Amino acid sequence: MERVQATLDPYGGRFLVHGAPAREVPEGTWPGALVIIAFPAYEHARAWYASEPYQALIPLRTRHMTGDVLLIDGVPEGYDPAATAAALRAAAG
């Protein structure tokens, strides 16, 4: 864990959530903790994940914890969920 930040720095990665258990689960079930790392762009996240320094840490992580890794596009600054809803309605016909 001590070596992770050094792998993130060249790609602008920063922790938004790091291993915090859910304080509440008002809907559904959540079995564990969550880690969210933000990057300036999707390409930065892909490059970080493929980097030799991070690849060297993966066996350490997987030997001590289970979980899934997802790379997901975030929403842009000024994102409007109402505009997304309108676009979905228009596309549905």
Side-chain angles (χ1 to χ4, degrees):
M1 197 177 300
E2 293 88 349
R3 295 166 43 195
V4 173
Q5 189 62 50
T7 71
L8 295 170
D9 289 341
Y11 304 96
R14 68 182 188 90
F15 284 96
L16 299 180
V17 177
H18 191 199
R23 291 182 70 171
E24 291 184 51
V25 183
E27 294 184 32
T29 59
W30 186 257
L34 182 66
V35 175
I36 300 176
I37 303 171
F39 291 89
Y42 178 78
E43 294 75 23
H44 290 79
R46 291 203 67 205
W48 163 75
Y49 187 81
S51 71
E52 284 187 38
Y54 183 67
Q55 288 292 308
L57 297 182
I58 290 175
L60 298 173
R61 179 179 52 79
T62 59
R63 278 198 302 265
H64 299 287
M65 56 194 282
T66 60
D68 300 317
V69 175
L70 299 91
L71 301 180
I72 301 170
D73 285 316
V75 297
E77 190 76 30
Y79 172 75
D80 180 3
T84 300
L88 290 170
R89 270 194 299 282

